[in-house]
Amino acid sequence: MYGSKFKKLISKQNLFAFVRTYGCQQNVSDSEKIKGLLLNMGCSFVKEKKDADIIVFNTCAVRENAEFRVLGNIGMLKDLKKQNPKLIIAICGCMTQQYSAREKIKSMFPFVDIIIGTDFIDDLRELIFKVFVKKYNISGEFNNNFIEKYLNKKLDENLTVHRDSKIKAFVPIMNGCDNFCSYCIVPYVRGREISRKPEAIKEEIENLIDRGYKSITLLGQNVNSYGKNLNGGMNFTELLREITKKKGDYWIRFMTSHPKDITKELIEEIAFNDKICKHIHLPFQSGSNRILKKMNRQYTREKYISIVEYARNKIPDISLTSDVIVGFPSESYYDFKQTISLVKLIGFSSLFTFIYSKREGTPAAKMKDLISHEEKSKRLDELLKLQREISSEFCSKFVGKKERVLLEEGHKNGLKFAKTNQNITVFLENYNDDYKDKFCNVKFTGHKRQGLTGIIQNR
Ligand code: SAH
Ligand code: SF4
Ligand code: F3S
């Protein structure tokens, strides 16, 4: 109903849209669906908010500072709205799944037109249409002021995806999370874990490879539990085997793996299947068994170490990355030292470090959090310093060697860059457009803080 009628109206107005994404790859992937939907409506995209007629913020709620950033940026839209009262502002994503955040947005920013939850991307068309009809004085049956939708609903499988890249694609294989780590808001904002059907995933990936995509990352909050709710479906390892039957020159990545569910079978598949990258993102969160228990992570430090030993034994060149939280309620300096010792023992190629952030509605929010912010920052600094040394040592082992890498689009700090199979960034000393979007052989010349440097030698 809203499709063709809206497309005609919008195309006539020549509307421009701007989409900003906060948070993890799950949101990046949702934003690609939002962009597909806007494109189908007849909108085109602009790079600056000031040039837009429709602004969509796809928000993240995982830590307090993520929410602060979103609120600050919504606030800045007020002036744009004053200059252009027809501007349509839609806020969606994980933040808007929470009652308190929705109320905050409504009371602080009454100029916001639409608030929708993560599962409502396919309804965004209808909602924008309603606001549009009113703002542009087009007679119609709609006369709403402010619209919100956020209750759980199943996401439409048939949404068009407008992909940001021509060579790298994110493919969600599941939605939601059932793990309820005690600090984490994700299960509350993303709902229960639902796996997509293997046939739909396979079809999407085969189509991407046929269109020239070279790096495909399968996404899920815990990919290792893929298939648990599919009656008679396949598990994650079987899914990987099925997908990689497709002929072609491509790499498959996946994230995130959960230590409680990762299997030996999966590690063996990574070892023997040359389409799967030799990299596992395996968050450990804390090195202390006492804290892991309070976090409800359902594994111990010893179990984590044994998984890593198994993986290193089967795949000697495996690269491991991880997430870690410092300053979880009641974390003593001794607990923190356990984290430090685990980081030293494992030798991650890189580490994503977070200071614990209290999330209302989670079990940890009720725990006494007596550690000062200053102490948490000190612990974070100690951890970061250690990890910088480890990453540097890890990278130095590559210098002088040659490897096949995939050129990335865009640049970092003005330099073209590529990714290795193990997901290490390589800043390129030479580049020309012949190499664009391709696999190339690179000789590593040195290393710096964020990765390696290298020279392309041939294709
Ligand atoms: N599903 C993934 C991670 C999702 S969130 C997993 O289980 O590993 C990404 C990371 O954010 C988490 O791994 C955790 O390290 C961090 N995180 C989540 N909630 C947090 C909180 N309340 N405070 C600080 N860091 C948090
Ligand atoms: Fe959050 Fe834990 Fe689920 Fe990851 S596994 S999304 S940390 S609840
Ligand atoms: Fe943030 Fe939602 Fe991802 S809370 S980390 S965008 S699942």
Side-chain angles (χ1 to χ4, degrees), residues 177-181 183-187 221-222 258 285 297:
C177 182
D178 282 353
N179 295 303
F180 291 95
C181 302
Y183 50 81
C184 185
I185 196 75
V186 172
Q221 295 299 347
N222 173 3
H258 196 305
Q285 313 297 0
R297 287 290 290 180

Side-chain angles (χ1 to χ4, degrees), residues 62-63 177 181 183-186 220-222 256-258 281 283 285 297 323-325 352 354-359:
V62 78
R63 283 170 293 275
C177 182
C181 302
Y183 50 81
C184 185
I185 196 75
V186 172
Q221 295 299 347
N222 173 3
T256 297
S257 287
H258 196 305
H281 183 61
Q285 313 297 0
R297 287 290 290 180
D323 293 349
V324 54
I325 296 176
F352 298 87
F354 307 104
I355 287 186
Y356 168 73
S357 170
K358 181 174 168 178
R359 304 284 66 206

Side-chain angles (χ1 to χ4, degrees), residues 252-264:
I252 297 285
R253 300 185 185 280
F254 54 86
M255 66 186 296
T256 297
S257 287
H258 196 305
K260 84 177 166 67
D261 290 315
I262 194 163
T263 58
K264 288 185 173 169

Side-chain angles (χ1 to χ4, degrees), residues 393-423:
E393 198 192 319
F394 177 84
C395 283
S396 67
K397 292 189 185 134
F398 289 87
V399 178
K401 292 187 178 151
K402 248 197 218 171
E403 226 179 85
R404 194 160 183 258
V405 301
L406 179 61
L407 271 285
E408 297 272 309
E409 292 151 317
H411 41 76
K412 275 188 182 174
N413 308 334
L415 275 179
K416 278 281 178 189
F417 69 106
K419 288 274 182 182
T420 69
N421 183 296
Q422 292 153 302
N423 211 28

